[in-house]
Amino acid sequence: MKVTQRFHNLDFLRAFAMMMGLFIHAPILFATPDLAKEFQIENIAQPEDWLWLLLIFISNWRMPLFFLL
C-alpha cells in the first residue's frame, strides 16, 4: 500500500478560505436592512464603502480556490 504525503500548507489554505467565508456571511444580516427588519432589528447604519470592496475582493478568489484545492 502506497502512503501519500500530506501537504499541511494546503490544509491551512483551505481553513483560511473557510474562515473568510465566515467573514463574508456573518455580517449579511447587518448589511441588508430589509433582512434585519424581519428580525425586528432597526436603525442599522449603512456599511462603509471599504467593507463592500473587501467583501468583493474575498468573494472573487475564495470559491475558485476551493475548486482548485
Side-chain angles (χ1 to χ4, degrees):
M1 180 180 243
K2 187 177 180 180
V3 177
T4 59
Q5 181 182 4
R6 185 170 186 103
F7 296 106
H8 296 288
N9 53 351
L10 293 178
D11 289 338
F12 173 78
L13 189 59
R14 187 179 304 116
F16 180 72
M18 291 171 77
M19 291 298 156
M20 290 297 101
L22 289 174
F23 180 76
I24 289 173
H25 290 101
I28 286 178
L29 179 66
F30 299 103
T32 55
D34 294 334
L35 180 63
K37 286 181 184 177
E38 292 183 22
F39 294 98
Q40 286 79 33
I41 301 173
E42 308 243 349
N43 299 329
I44 296 176
Q46 289 293 328
E48 296 183 16
D49 292 337
W50 65 268
L51 179 64
W52 292 114
L53 291 174
L54 185 62
L55 294 178
I56 290 170
F57 171 73
I58 293 171
S59 296
N60 281 337
W61 59 264
R62 193 177 71 85
M63 287 310 291
L65 179 67
F66 277 121
F67 286 113
L68 284 174
L69 291 175

